[in-house]
Amino acid sequence: MHDRVIVAGAAVTLLTLTPGVGLFAPSGAAERPAPEEKPTTHVQPKKSHTDHATLIRGPFAGGPSVTRVCLGCHENAGREMLATAHWTWLGDEVRVPGHDEPLRIGKKNLINNFCIGVQPNLARCTSCHAGYGWLDASFDFSNQNNIDCLVCHDTSGTYRKDADHGGVVAQGVDLLAVARSVGFPTRRNCGTCHFAGGGGDAVKHGDLDGTMSQPPERIDVHMGRLNFDCQECHRTRGHKIAGRSMSVSVEDAGGVACTQCHSSAPHREQRLNAHISAVACQTCHIPEYAVETPTKMSWDWSTAGQDRPDADPHEYSKLKGSFVYASNVKPEYRWYNGRAQRYLLGDRMDPNQVTRINYPQGSIADPAAKIWPFKVHCGKQVYDTQHNYLLAPKTFGPGGYWTDFNWDQACRLGSKDTGLAYSGKYGFAATEMYWPLSHMVATKDKALQCRDCHGPRGRLDWKALGYEGDPAKLHVRLASTASTHCGQCHGLVHLDASPLAIPAGSRKGMTETTGEVFSDQRLCQSGLNLAGKDSLDRPFDVHAERLLECASCHQKAGDAGRNPRADSGSENQPRLESAPASATKPDHRRGHEHNNAQCGTCHAARELHAWLPYSDRHLEKLSCEVCHIPQIYTPAREQVDQTVIGPDGSAPNAYRGTDGSPEDPAALIRGYEPVLLAREQEDGGTKVAPFNLVTSWSWVAGDPPKPVSREQLRIAYLEGGRYRPEIVKAFDADGGGTIAPHELRLDTPEKVRVVQQRLEALGLSHPQIVAEVRPYALHHDVAGGRWAIRDCGSCHSKQSRVSAAIELAAYIPGGVLPKPVADAKARLDGKMTVRSDGRLVYEPRLADGELYVAGSRGMRMIDHIGAMIVSLTFVGILAHGTARIIASRRKVKV
Amino acid sequence: MSTRAVVEERAVRLYGTLGRLWHWVQAGCIGLLLLSGIEVHSPSVVRILGFQRAVSAHVVLGFVLVSNALFGLLYHLLTGEIRQYLPGRYQVLSRVAAQARYYLKGIFRREPHPFQRTPERRLNPLQQLTYLAVLNVLLPLQVVTGLLMWAAQRWPGFAPVGELPVLAAVHSLVSWMFGAFLIGHLYLITTGPTPLAYLRTMISGWEHPAETSAQEQEYERTAA
């Protein structure tokens, strides 16, 4: 019997538990997609280097004597160095496009369009060679003692190489101190040559310059924020340093890649990850190069040799010719598959065309190619007009151009060193060099946004890249009507790069009634004085950021869609008062009533919210806007008081979301949290949606009551542009003889009576104040997932947004409480309360009625009853227990 | 025969293993459900798991409670233990009154319990009525409203009686009642021979009449 009970009980328990837990699990436990593994986990901790201060004894006669001491302990280092490009200035054998046999190319035998070629100018150029004494072809590349260990390993900062004696140690260097300071190379060591390529700081690369010795993060996020040494990315083993420069290599094997640390799909936004097959990381993340120090953009040798002592050395030098420098340069964009074409000495060129000294390979048809950012350096340099090839002239040293300013002689001497025949006839030809950018990676908030490439002010030349046109336009089908046209009436549309501002008098349409702004700009980059601005790196509206235009959603052209507000019979219409020409507006009726069905036109809400517990329930009860418009960041109209009139005939308006007037650029803008109301859907159901509430007061008179016109009100209050004496007498509380703005309120029965009498004097019968509150639905200022409400507690808590009150008015003109407008689709069934400071506040009661929001303050009645039952029980047992204790004591005593 | 042996001999096994297991699982579930329920209902009052996890815990515990209740029902039916809860047909009122009189009067005079606990009749008439109400009214009501709330939120198309605002109101009210019951229950288990005697019995299953008789002796002595 007993056994059967156990078995049956266990079976029932299991049977009930399994479906229960199983059903429950997928609903709450579904996780959001795992974010990218933190890239910094790949960063190696900085190693400490053996302190050589006590290990090294001098004195040293010269560089090689130090090297001998180094090699005494580091036996392999010499052999390793002899094989590196830093020593040989030559790469391994490669196939160069246009040349059949494999070649070894490198700095040693290539030319560029800066100082052109090293062979005729070795003594000067080899001041950047990691060795001592490479003056001519007789240099012994097998002698390890000629290696310059110190240029890379000095940490004292005092080591210098002589500028023009084949890289020997400069005069006056304390070699013992330098040798004792050796450590791992720092950015400064590498920068000795790589920041100064082309003959000076920042000249050559554009993305490498002296600011990177100690860069702030706005110059480079890796070296600035994370303090990376070069080797962090240019991983180094046995003195072999990873990395290839397209200026001297034609391939990128053994190069550096972002994916060493970052995943190949690092963005939360899948649309961005979809770009990765066609766009290099650098393209978006290096929006500009030469961030601080100007870099050389062009170099014209043909003008050299003139005596122009007054010329700016950044524009002209007698030795070198004319230059153009630039900073904060937008890169040029080309397809690049990691391989490059290369002009080699002796290659034929067409002097009438721009000769590309190097050029990235790849095209839109090449699956390995991506769009990369480049610095393009334009040159004009000497060539042989008979043989039609570029020459490497001797510029430095005896007989060189910089000594005698004689091109013919410079070319002749140069040709001896290069072995390339010189005909005796020279000219100057245009050349180009391409420098792919990988440094000066900006912080992510500065990365390019959709509109930087797509849309009318995009920076890519789509046709040149092989596209038919802007692919976003092709695929997204941007509407032809420009949003800015809509903005002329409907609110602020700001789609250009200038910092967004709302100048005085420009508030209109939805920007006035709700504070909504249609702009792709990030809040932190706007010109508005926003509270907490620095951290607001979201755009005003994510749809604007994603290239949508007004017409992308409002596209029911030809539909009889109407704006229900425009033809409602309500007494006053704040939104129309500034648009008296509304009657003559062009008939461009479109679907103004925007609902979830329209979000659903593009968005698959159910699939996207699988992570959300009880997602179906949330989607059933809430409009998308509830979570995706968490906050409006610009001021919105709150109260319109047409019961009084300003000296200029205006009605005082009050705004929410700002500490001052919305016209005051210095006032701090806090924005506001929309109020949530139940809103009828087209299918007859209701959903909660966010709103702004605008309350307005005005006079009506007659039977049936008709609005008192602005003109009638003006006559009632003003006479010859000034307030009438009886008005001043009633309103001027402080006896100042004038009516201050805060006194211009119908806040006492006396004031109301005086105005009533004035209106009656104008022949109006029974003048009285009416008031209404009008909800304005919010559909713009949409936040993407990252900025949407995700915290359960923002609704499921005591401070729930669902029951959060919103201020309707700072004061109540005439003591008349506003009524909800009759035609509103939103239900205003909450409570209006007057706070002790005179403010009128709307308290929604959604959570008390149809909507149950766990954790919010609903169910107060039930809780009171329940608490009473529990308290009574508790009091009962307390009394009983006490009585028991007392009783037991008495017994013991007796 | 030693006194101890006599006591051991007279010890009575009031609760079987399964009965106790059922009771304690139920007790644990109800306690934790109340706690997580408060967090779901009012996250600012109780903050242990965080809202989201509290909801999850509440749902899981709810299913455990339902399973345990079904198991309990089966156990009570199959073993006939169900009879323990039935007050019987005769003199119900007067027996309830006697028990009530004891709690209101007799207990202060150290009178013996009007009804001796035996394995055949563990519960006094008042208890029988209370448990009948708790197990047959409150618990099913809570389980049904809980399940309906859970289902209504999972499958919004599923529209049970009254929708969430009604269900949640009932569920909240009943949970307050459970709270009241729990307080009363915890207090009344201290009314045994010693304050912890009933608790010990519920844990071990055994009641030691030594204690009872000691109390009775005490009563007789003081009465005399």
Side-chain angles (χ1 to χ4, degrees):
Chain A
M1 172 72 186
H2 222 94
D3 288 347
R4 256 184 299 161
V5 173
I6 294 174
V7 172
V12 171
T13 309
L14 276 174
L15 280 175
T16 344
L17 268 179
T18 319
V21 174
L23 280 172
F24 157 82
S27 135
E31 290 290 319
R32 305 208 296 116
E36 190 198 4
E37 184 190 0
K38 241 180 137 40
T40 42
T41 54
H42 299 272
V43 177
Q44 302 292 322
K46 295 222 175 195
K47 285 185 289 182
S48 64
H49 194 274
T50 309
D51 184 359
H52 282 58
T54 54
L55 301 177
I56 293 180
R57 280 179 241 289
F60 294 116
S65 63
V66 183
T67 306
R68 262 192 296 278
V69 172
C70 299
L71 297 176
C73 297
H74 302 277
E75 303 120 12
N76 296 329
R79 190 170 34 77
E80 288 167 5
M81 266 306 293
L82 294 191
T84 66
H86 276 121
W87 175 255
T88 59
W89 282 14
L90 272 182
D92 296 331
E93 283 194 336
V94 284
R95 294 214 175 262
V96 180
H99 295 263
D100 295 335
E101 71 288 6
L103 293 168
R104 292 190 72 191
I105 59 168
K107 219 172 177 53
K108 188 177 180 177
N109 56 12
L110 293 174
I111 62 165
N112 60 31
N113 63 0
F114 291 86
C115 298
I116 304 183
V118 302
Q119 284 151 301
N121 307 300
L122 275 174
R124 173 76 182 89
C125 297
T126 54
S127 64
C128 270
H129 183 239
Y132 300 120
W134 183 8
L135 288 164
D136 51 43
S138 67
F139 181 69
D140 183 359
F141 282 96
S142 62
N143 183 351
Q144 298 184 359
N145 290 336
N146 282 341
I147 296 168
D148 184 349
C149 306
L150 298 176
V151 70
C152 298
H153 291 284
D154 165 48
T155 64
S156 73
T158 62
Y159 183 75
R160 301 279 180 276
K161 282 165 89 75
D162 192 295
D164 38 47
H165 288 92
V168 297
V169 181
Q171 291 290 315
V173 171
D174 181 350
L175 279 176
L176 181 59
V178 171
R180 284 178 168 174
S181 81
V182 291
F184 293 117
T186 63
R187 293 188 298 268
R188 200 187 293 274
N189 290 100
C190 304
T192 308
C193 294
H194 293 281
F195 295 163
D201 184 30
V203 167
K204 221 179 206 176
H205 288 265
D207 63 340
L208 285 175
D209 62 40
T211 57
M212 286 168 154
S213 298
Q214 293 296 332
E217 68 175 32
R218 75 188 164 79
I219 293 204
D220 184 285
V221 68
H222 296 123
M223 292 183 252
R225 183 185 294 172
L226 302 168
N227 195 24
F228 276 17
D229 284 321
C230 304
Q231 304 92 285
E232 195 63 61
C233 303
H234 296 269
R235 290 177 182 168
T236 302
R237 208 179 189 113
H239 288 90
K240 193 163 165 53
I241 299 171
R244 303 294 283 262
S245 169
M246 210 186 86
S247 60
V248 287
S249 305
V250 293
E251 58 176 31
D252 66 350
V256 173
C258 304
T259 46
Q260 286 170 192
C261 296
H262 295 278
S263 92
S264 52
H267 307 101
R268 200 193 298 255
E269 173 64 59
Q270 290 311 311
R271 214 166 333 201
L272 290 181
N273 288 334
H275 281 70
I276 286 176
S277 62
V279 180
C281 308
Q282 287 87 334
T283 300
C284 298
H285 291 277
I286 307 178
E288 290 178 345
Y289 62 93
V291 172
E292 200 159 84
T293 316
T295 185
K296 196 175 277 189
M297 302 303 296
S298 78
W299 182 338
D300 181 358
W301 281 97
S302 70
T303 60
Q306 304 163 21
D307 279 310
R308 287 165 56 184
D310 298 337
D312 181 333
H314 282 86
E315 290 172 5
Y316 185 77
S317 137
K318 183 184 178 185
L319 302 180
K320 300 180 175 179
S322 316
F323 318 119
V324 173
Y325 277 85
S327 58
N328 294 99
V329 191
K330 272 186 196 170
E332 296 200 27
Y333 298 94
R334 298 287 185 275
W335 289 103
Y336 179 37
N337 62 14
R339 302 182 61 81
Q341 292 167 1
R342 194 36 161 113
Y343 180 90
L344 302 185
L345 264 180
D347 285 353
R348 301 283 162 190
M349 40 77 79
D350 177 354
N352 299 314
Q353 301 234 324
V354 177
T355 303
R356 288 160 167 177
I357 289 178
N358 66 347
Y359 192 76
Q361 285 196 314
S363 73
I364 190 169
D366 178 349
K370 295 185 180 191
I371 297 172
W372 267 76
F374 288 90
K375 171 190 167 178
V376 180
H377 182 254
C378 303
K380 200 163 183 191
Q381 62 196 89
V382 68
Y383 79 104
D384 188 312
T385 56
Q386 299 291 307
H387 295 304
N388 277 347
Y389 47 58
L390 295 172
L391 293 167
K394 183 174 178 71
T395 49
F396 172 81
Y401 184 77
W402 292 345
T403 323
D404 295 338
F405 300 104
N406 181 336
W407 278 117
D408 183 58
Q409 179 185 311
C411 293
R412 199 173 304 282
L413 290 171
S415 75
K416 259 199 272 175
D417 287 319
T418 57
L420 195 63
Y422 169 55
S423 69
K425 296 262 185 338
Y426 68 91
F428 291 90
T431 59
E432 257 180 9
M433 244 189 123
Y434 284 79
W435 299 81
L437 304 170
S438 277
H439 307 94
M440 295 196 177
V441 175
T443 49
K444 64 179 172 188
D445 59 304
K446 298 207 172 60
L448 295 189
Q449 299 294 301
C450 310
R451 276 188 185 271
D452 288 308
C453 296
H454 302 287
R457 57 190 162 91
R459 52 168 72 187
L460 293 190
D461 182 347
W462 295 106
K463 293 247 161 70
L465 287 167
Y467 291 89
E468 282 173 46
D470 184 342
K473 258 195 177 122
L474 293 172
H475 296 126
V476 179
R477 297 208 176 281
L478 296 190
S480 55
T481 316
S483 300
T484 42
H485 295 153
C486 307
Q488 286 170 8
C489 300
H490 295 290
L492 182 58
V493 172
H494 184 96
L495 298 172
D496 62 55
S498 63
L500 182 145
I502 309 177
S506 72
R507 307 184 59 82
K508 59 204 163 192
M510 66 180 189
T511 308
E512 169 71 7
T513 53
T514 62
E516 289 165 292
V517 164
F518 191 71
S519 173
D520 58 341
Q521 196 162 94
R522 291 178 177 214
L523 292 161
C524 56
Q525 285 161 359
S526 74
L528 302 178
N529 186 21
L530 302 174
K533 186 175 173 184
D534 289 350
S535 57
L536 297 174
D537 64 349
R538 60 159 279 193
F540 278 91
D541 187 284
V542 71
H543 293 124
E545 191 195 40
R546 305 282 161 83
L547 305 169
L548 267 66
E549 303 277 353
C550 301
S552 308
C553 302
H554 299 276
Q555 61 187 355
K556 286 154 77 182
D559 178 69
R562 60 189 182 83
N563 180 350
R565 291 185 204 115
D567 48 11
S568 71
S570 99
E571 287 145 351
N572 54 6
Q573 300 205 12
R575 69 186 302 274
L576 291 182
E577 72 173 23
S578 60
S582 58
T584 62
K585 273 196 287 189
D587 182 17
H588 54 232
R589 296 182 172 195
R590 290 172 185 273
H592 278 81
E593 280 306 282
H594 192 175
N595 56 32
N596 268 324
Q598 276 162 311
C599 298
T601 310
C602 301
H603 300 284
R606 278 194 73 177
E607 284 72 24
L608 290 168
H609 293 85
W611 59 273
L612 178 70
Y614 304 102
S615 60
D616 283 352
R617 180 71 180 182
H618 283 104
L619 294 176
E620 184 212 19
K621 286 290 175 188
L622 305 177
S623 69
C624 306
E625 289 94 330
V626 170
C627 299
H628 287 273
I629 309 180
Q631 172 97 1
I632 298 291
Y633 289 92
T634 51
R637 187 182 283 185
E638 174 180 325
Q639 181 180 14
V640 182
D641 184 0
Q642 294 175 349
T643 61
V644 294
I645 196 159
D648 57 350
S650 65
N653 287 355
Y655 290 82
R656 64 175 87 253
T658 172
D659 284 0
S661 137
E663 314 292 359
D664 177 5
L668 185 65
I669 301 173
R670 297 182 189 281
Y672 69 96
E673 269 187 22
V675 67
L676 300 180
L677 305 175
R679 184 174 197 271
E680 284 169 32
Q681 299 297 114
E682 278 171 2
D683 63 6
T686 58
K687 278 190 180 189
V688 177
F691 286 85
N692 181 33
L693 295 179
V694 180
T695 317
S696 52
W697 278 263
S698 60
W699 286 99
V700 292
D703 186 31
K706 282 187 175 162
V708 171
S709 76
R710 182 69 56 82
E711 185 55 25
Q712 288 165 326
L713 199 62
R714 209 175 59 77
I715 298 169
Y717 273 89
L718 302 165
E719 190 173 42
R722 309 180 63 159
Y723 287 108
R724 301 179 63 94
E726 58 265 51
I727 298 285
V728 175
K729 189 164 165 262
F731 280 70
D732 181 20
D734 59 8
T738 53
I739 301 176
H742 69 271
E743 290 168 346
L744 189 62
R745 298 176 172 181
L746 292 177
D747 49 6
T748 63
E750 292 72 44
K751 289 183 179 180
V752 177
R753 214 165 25 245
V754 168
V755 179
Q756 252 166 348
Q757 284 162 2
R758 282 291 310 145
L759 291 169
E760 279 164 355
L762 293 176
L764 298 168
S765 63
H766 306 297
Q768 50 176 319
I769 294 171
V770 292
E772 64 174 26
V773 52
R774 180 181 286 279
Y776 286 88
L778 303 173
H779 302 295
H780 308 90
D781 281 29
V782 177
R786 194 162 71 86
W787 281 88
I789 293 171
R790 289 180 171 281
D791 175 20
C792 306
S794 54
C795 289
H796 297 285
S797 69
K798 205 171 161 188
Q799 293 78 30
S800 176
R801 299 173 83 99
V802 178
S803 46
I806 189 168
E807 184 184 288
L808 289 178
Y811 61 96
I812 307 168
V816 177
L817 288 181
K819 295 190 183 69
V821 287
D823 65 311
K825 280 193 168 182
R827 231 185 359 252
L828 278 159
D829 51 3
K831 215 166 76 181
M832 282 183 213
T833 41
V834 184
R835 295 274 158 91
S836 57
D837 54 3
R839 292 183 308 131
L840 181 64
V841 166
Y842 176 79
E843 292 167 355
R845 302 176 98 169
L846 276 176
D848 297 347
E850 66 199 282
L851 195 69
Y852 170 71
V853 182
S856 77
R857 287 184 301 175
M859 305 278 155
R860 261 178 282 189
M861 246 267 276
I862 296 290
D863 285 348
H864 289 162
I865 298 172
M868 207 149 72
I869 296 173
V870 169
S871 329
L872 284 177
T873 315
F874 197 72
V875 168
I877 65 152
L878 216 60
H880 197 268
T882 316
R884 261 170 78 203
I885 291 167
I886 293 169
S888 70
R889 291 212 176 141
R890 201 172 51 220
K891 285 286 178 198
V892 170
K893 271 177 201 162
V894 169
Chain B
M1 197 183 277
S2 69
T3 329
R4 185 173 172 78
V6 172
V7 170
E8 286 299 320
E9 204 169 71
R10 292 180 56 195
V12 188
R13 192 155 200 263
L14 273 184
Y15 297 101
T17 315
L18 283 178
R20 279 179 290 132
L21 186 71
W22 165 73
H23 171 268
W24 284 116
V25 170
Q26 176 159 280
C29 282
I30 289 178
L32 293 172
L33 276 165
L34 278 172
L35 209 61
S36 58
I38 296 172
E39 181 157 14
V40 173
H41 186 66
S42 197
S44 49
V45 176
V46 170
R47 191 181 290 265
I48 303 166
L49 294 169
F51 179 81
Q52 199 178 336
R53 274 184 297 232
V55 173
S56 308
H58 197 74
V59 172
V60 170
L61 285 165
F63 278 107
V64 174
L65 182 71
V66 171
S67 316
N68 188 61
L70 289 176
F71 159 73
L73 183 64
L74 214 61
Y75 162 80
H76 283 101
L77 287 174
L78 290 179
T79 56
E81 284 286 294
I82 188 83
R83 277 189 289 270
Q84 294 278 358
Y85 298 89
L86 305 176
R89 251 175 274 174
Y90 307 108
Q91 296 176 324
V92 176
L93 272 183
S94 66
R95 286 190 293 127
V96 167
Q99 183 66 29
R101 191 205 143 272
Y102 169 75
Y103 282 139
L104 292 174
K105 217 166 158 190
I107 191 167
F108 303 119
R109 300 180 179 173
R110 303 209 168 182
E111 287 173 17
H113 281 265
F115 304 95
Q116 195 66 40
R117 301 216 293 177
T118 65
E120 291 74 33
R121 211 193 57 210
R122 292 193 300 264
L123 307 176
N124 69 50
L126 210 50
Q127 256 180 318
Q128 286 173 329
L129 279 187
T130 315
Y131 291 0
L132 262 183
V134 169
L135 294 174
N136 293 294
V137 182
L138 283 195
L139 189 67
L141 197 58
Q142 196 68 335
V143 162
V144 168
T145 53
L147 276 172
L148 288 179
M149 281 174 80
W150 172 77
Q153 297 188 73
R154 254 192 86 83
W155 299 289
F158 181 83
V161 224
E163 270 279 357
L164 279 188
V166 175
L167 294 174
V170 174
H171 198 77
S172 301
L173 188 64
V174 174
S175 56
W176 280 108
M177 290 169 156
F178 263 105
F181 166 77
L182 197 62
I183 292 169
H185 186 67
L186 287 176
Y187 172 70
L188 286 173
I189 63 168
T190 66
T191 58
T194 64
L196 293 179
Y198 286 175
L199 182 63
R200 264 203 293 271
T201 306
M202 198 66 230
I203 292 169
S204 69
W206 290 91
E207 178 149 271
H208 298 281
E211 289 168 353
T212 322
S213 57
Q215 192 200 20
E216 277 161 9
Q217 283 158 18
E218 160 90 7
Y219 170 75
E220 276 152 20
R221 193 159 46 78
T222 45

